[in-house]
């Protein structure tokens, strides 16, 4: 973080905000495409719920069924784990 006299500017916060906006847009695009293809929002919502619940359920299983030396699963959440959500969205 670069601190000037009275202005604090953190370029990482700006990059994170831009990346989160892209994530939201891509998830919204997948949802709208599902609504268009399926002709019903209810089934599209159920599909998105299934996609997100499969990701979080997998993280839960990975965390508690394959522990490391301190008793819990992963020590850090890598970029590739986050990108797995886009793979799941693409397959779903």
């Amino acid at each position: 973080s670069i601190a000037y006299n009275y202005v604090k500017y953190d370029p990482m916060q700006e990059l994170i905000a831009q990346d989160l906006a892209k994530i939201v847009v891509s998830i919204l695009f997948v949802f709208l495409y599902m609504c268009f293809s399926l002709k019903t929002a209810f089934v599209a919502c159920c599909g998105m719920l299934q996609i997100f619940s499969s990701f979080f359920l997998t993280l839960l299983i990975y965390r508690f069924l394959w522990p490391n030396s301190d008793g819990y699963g992963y020590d850090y959440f890598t970029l590739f784990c986050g990108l797995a959500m886009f793979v799941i969205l693409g397959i779903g």
Side-chain angles (χ1 to χ4, degrees):
S1 166
I2 301 170
Y4 297 103
N5 289 338
Y6 58 88
V7 176
K8 290 180 108 178
Y9 174 68
D10 190 5
M12 285 303 294
Q13 293 296 328
E14 185 178 335
L15 288 173
I16 289 171
Q18 291 173 357
D19 290 345
L20 285 175
K22 291 175 187 173
I23 289 171
V24 169
V25 167
S26 66
I27 290 172
L28 186 63
F29 176 76
V30 169
F31 176 72
L32 292 175
Y33 182 75
M34 287 175 65
C35 285
F36 175 74
S37 296
L38 298 171
K39 306 276 193 280
T40 175
F42 177 72
V43 177
C45 287
C46 289
M48 294 298 284
L49 179 67
Q50 182 180 5
I51 290 169
F52 288 123
S53 64
S54 70
F55 182 73
F56 294 118
L57 181 64
T58 304
L59 281 178
L60 184 69
I61 291 170
Y62 178 61
R63 174 97 172 154
F64 292 111
L65 292 184
W66 285 278
N68 59 12
S69 61
D70 67 351
Y72 292 108
Y74 48 87
D75 291 328
Y76 54 91
F77 190 81
T78 64
L79 175 68
F80 293 115
C81 292
L83 292 176
M85 179 61 80
F86 291 104
V87 173
I88 294 170
L89 280 171
I91 293 171

